[in-house]
Amino acid sequence: MAFRRRAKSYPLFSQEFLIHNHADIGFCLVLCVLIALMFEATAKTAFLFILPQYNLSVPTADGELVHYRYGLKDLITILFYIFIAIILHMVLQDYVLDKINRRLHLSKVKHSKFNESGQLVAFHLTSMIWCLYVVVTEGYLSNPRSWWENYPHVSLSFQVKFFYLCQLAYWLHALPELYFQKVRKEEIPRHLRYISLYLMHIAGAYLLNLTRLGLILLLLQYFAEFLFHMARLFYFTDENNEKLFNAWAVVFVVTRLFTLTLSVLVIGFGLARVENQMFDLEKGNFNTLPSRMFVLSLVCLFQAWMMWHFIRFQLRRWREYRAEQSARQRAAALTKQQSKPIKRESGKCRGGVLRAGLCVAELGARGKGPGCPRVPSSAAALS
């Protein structure tokens, strides 16, 4: 029986120790919070990490209905679920993505992109199903007028608030993961760009009480991103498989159009017809003309920026495709030209064959016998 080789040990609290054991450290912290639930003295504090805060019970005919608001204590809950996201990230990386990478034998650049797309496919698929369940059960799809009616939507159901807290926790966990996963310096600006955009949009919808519109837009965005990263995964397994990129391109453009249309419908027209249009920070009312114009301009600006990058990406792919096609045509023409038999020109003279520019028959006419005798070495040298 062969002994398992020991893993390389690193000094305690060193940089390499933190990188290789960050998921275990996060698991220990989560375990401490769960153990604190077992004791009465610490259970109240432990619930701050696990459950959403600022709940309010509203009496109804069937009993009580619990609603939630947002506040500073949400940061504690988000911190706890950041560690949960770090643990799930490492579990998916170790038990799924690394095993697939060993079979594919990808290069370092493709290896990092495969890991990124693998993580985001799992997240976008989970969030898309969860978001669809929330908007259906809350009745937001069946009643689109509820997206702006009775604004501000300060009171949130448990599943809506918990969804937003988990979304913020995931995108915040992606920042330290850039360090833990040793992302290359050239790739860090791109990662920071889309992480910041997600955090800005999700936090803006949560804090400005536009959670209903935010859920619909997130559902559209996550569906488009899921297709994109699935296309990347299929491309890494087989570089000839690019059909899913075409489907993503269509969905991406449609998503941008729907995002602009719904944003103008809800913010530009729906909220403009709401009676209460007064800025009130305590009540969470931000329904004023400057606020609506600012939010709507930001949405339009980001959508235009994303479309610009998409057009540049498609033009670059088209140029690369044309260059590849022209290179293949040139190579095929060159191969066809080389495959043709080369015709050697042969000259004839009376009574003999022209060799080395001299008529052998004429040189050997005075020799013995008929025909063209062998050319002397001196004549060959002269030619």
Side-chain angles (χ1 to χ4, degrees), residues 220 249-259:
L220 296 173
V250 176
V251 172
F252 182 88
V253 175
V254 173
T255 301
R256 304 282 75 76
L257 294 176
F258 268 93
T259 301

Side-chain angles (χ1 to χ4, degrees), residues 91-107 110-119 121-122 229-230 232-238:
V91 168
L92 180 62
Q93 184 67 44
D94 286 347
Y95 293 97
V96 179
L97 297 179
D98 285 346
K99 292 183 178 180
I100 298 175
N101 276 319
R102 293 191 193 100
R103 296 182 179 181
L104 295 178
H105 303 288
L106 300 174
S107 62
K110 290 185 177 181
H111 179 84
S112 61
K113 290 184 178 180
F114 183 87
N115 290 336
E116 176 192 358
S117 294
Q119 294 286 347
V121 159
H229 290 288
M230 279 297 295
R232 286 180 71 179
L233 292 180
F234 281 111
Y235 176 75
F236 290 142
T237 55
D238 184 9

Side-chain angles (χ1 to χ4, degrees), residues 338-352:
Q338 290 178 352
S339 63
K340 290 182 179 181
I342 301 175
K343 296 181 179 180
R344 296 183 180 179
E345 295 182 356
S346 58
K348 292 185 179 180
C349 64
R350 288 177 297 174

Side-chain angles (χ1 to χ4, degrees), residues 147-293:
W147 300 350
W148 62 83
E149 286 182 344
N150 300 322
Y151 181 85
H153 305 137
V154 180
S155 300
L156 305 175
S157 64
F158 173 82
Q159 60 180 354
V160 172
K161 178 168 183 175
F162 190 62
F163 176 82
Y164 272 94
L165 293 181
C166 291
Q167 293 295 312
L168 291 172
Y170 180 86
W171 291 111
L172 284 173
H173 113 279
L175 295 174
E177 283 294 340
L178 298 177
Y179 171 73
F180 295 143
Q181 299 296 327
K182 296 182 179 180
V183 177
R184 296 184 305 162
K185 292 183 179 179
E186 308 87 51
E187 294 289 328
I188 288 179
R190 181 179 64 85
H191 286 268
L192 290 177
R193 196 180 304 122
Y194 74 77
I195 291 172
S196 302
L197 286 176
Y198 273 112
L199 285 174
M200 186 184 304
H201 283 78
I202 296 172
Y206 184 65
L207 296 176
L208 296 177
N209 297 313
L210 295 170
T211 51
R212 300 181 182 183
L213 175 63
L215 286 171
I216 303 299
L217 298 184
L218 274 179
L219 180 61
L220 296 173
Q221 177 64 22
Y222 283 163
F223 179 65
E225 289 296 304
F226 171 75
L227 280 181
F228 172 71
H229 290 288
M230 279 297 295
R232 286 180 71 179
L233 292 180
F234 281 111
Y235 176 75
F236 290 142
T237 55
D238 184 9
E239 293 187 356
N240 296 323
N241 195 347
E242 297 184 0
K243 293 181 180 179
L244 203 56
F245 278 112
N246 300 328
W248 163 75
V250 176
V251 172
F252 182 88
V253 175
V254 173
T255 301
R256 304 282 75 76
L257 294 176
F258 268 93
T259 301
L260 287 174
T261 304
L262 294 177
S263 300
V264 172
L265 176 65
V266 175
I267 300 174
F269 294 98
L271 293 179
R273 297 181 180 181
V274 177
E275 295 181 359
N276 189 8
Q277 297 191 18
M278 225 172 154
F279 181 79
D280 192 346
L281 187 61
E282 293 183 358
K283 294 183 179 180
N285 190 358
F286 302 95
N287 189 15
T288 60
L289 180 60
S291 300
R292 292 198 304 269
M293 294 300 295

